[in-house]
């Protein structure tokens, strides 16, 4: 569905449930399976860095209204999510849901012990930030310019137990006739 329609839908849900962190709750229920083909590719990757690179490259096929970007530094890495199609006020909730989805995918791939250094949220701090702290288990910085997970760069070399190089090659290689 168009991002603008999703933004309106999420805002309607926030209003009807009186839950200002509705998008966060939706993302918290995500799994690699809910990411469909992209999640399957991520599961086959050898390392978390490769899985996040696959997310960055291939999510645009399923989600044309936003972009995932992975910045790699010597000490930290930043996984950001940006809505670039008009989504109105709902963009905040979509971004929060995307961050929660990414965090759930990382934990599903590598285990629950991975905790980000900090989480950047592009909205004013809510009256109750506890749902954010509970999900991410990390410092939350509100009023940021972008939605992002900041984590140690060493995570990128974290091995994924379900790695399957042959399946990944088969899924990502062009078909030759």
């Amino acid at each position: 569905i168009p991002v603008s329609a999703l933004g309106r839908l999420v805002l309607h849900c926030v209003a009807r449930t009186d839950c200002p962190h509705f998008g966060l709750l939706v993302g918290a229920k995500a799994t690699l399976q809910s990411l469909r083909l992209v999640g399957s590719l991520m599961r086959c990757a050898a390392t978390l860095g490769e899985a996040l690179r696959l997310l960055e490259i291939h999510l645009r096929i399923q989600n044309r209204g936003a972009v995932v970007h992975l910045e790699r530094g010597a000490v930290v890495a930043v996984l950001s999510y940006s809505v670039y199609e008009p989504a109105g006020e709902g963009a905040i909730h979509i971004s929060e849901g995307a961050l929660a989805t990414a965090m759930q995918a990382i934990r599903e791939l590598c285990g629950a012990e991975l905790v980000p250094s900090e989480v950047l949220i592009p909205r004013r701090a809510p009256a109750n930030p506890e749902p954010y702290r509970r999900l991410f288990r990390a410092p939350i910085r509100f009023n940021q310019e972008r939605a992002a997970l900041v984590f140690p760069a060493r995570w990128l070399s974290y091995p994924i137990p379900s790695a399957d190089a042959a399946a990944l090659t088969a899924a990502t290689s062009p078909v030759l006739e």
Side-chain angles (χ1 to χ4, degrees), residues 2-26:
V3 173
S4 57
L6 179 60
R8 287 191 305 275
L9 174 63
V10 172
L11 282 177
H12 178 75
C13 293
V14 167
R16 294 292 298 215
T17 61
D18 193 29
C19 180
H21 57 278
F22 184 85
L24 187 78
L25 295 177
V26 171

Side-chain angles (χ1 to χ4, degrees), residues 39-151:
S40 296
L41 292 175
M42 292 173 71
R43 190 181 308 279
C44 293
T47 64
L48 180 59
E50 184 180 2
L52 295 178
R53 184 184 61 78
L54 290 165
L55 175 69
E56 179 181 33
I57 292 168
H58 297 290
L59 188 66
R60 65 180 174 193
I61 295 166
Q62 293 173 199
N63 182 346
R64 296 177 195 227
V67 65
V68 172
H69 180 64
L70 178 63
E71 297 173 45
R72 299 163 180 94
V75 178
V76 298
V78 179
L79 182 69
S80 62
Y81 181 87
S82 303
V83 176
Y84 63 82
E85 283 191 7
E89 292 179 36
I92 291 168
H93 303 286
I94 294 169
S95 295
E96 289 177 357
L99 289 182
T101 298
M103 192 72 251
Q104 295 301 92
I106 289 168
R107 288 180 177 148
E108 189 174 339
L109 289 169
C110 301
E113 69 275 3
L114 295 184
V115 176
S117 305
E118 62 183 350
V119 179
L120 310 179
I121 308 272
R123 70 177 299 180
R124 278 182 280 164
N128 179 13
E130 188 54 32
Y132 297 86
R133 285 191 213 115
R134 194 171 40 249
L135 175 73
F136 294 111
R137 300 189 323 256
I140 311 296
R141 291 184 36 207
F142 292 98
N143 296 318
Q144 300 303 302
E145 291 185 16
R146 63 183 174 163
L149 299 175
V150 180
F151 51 89

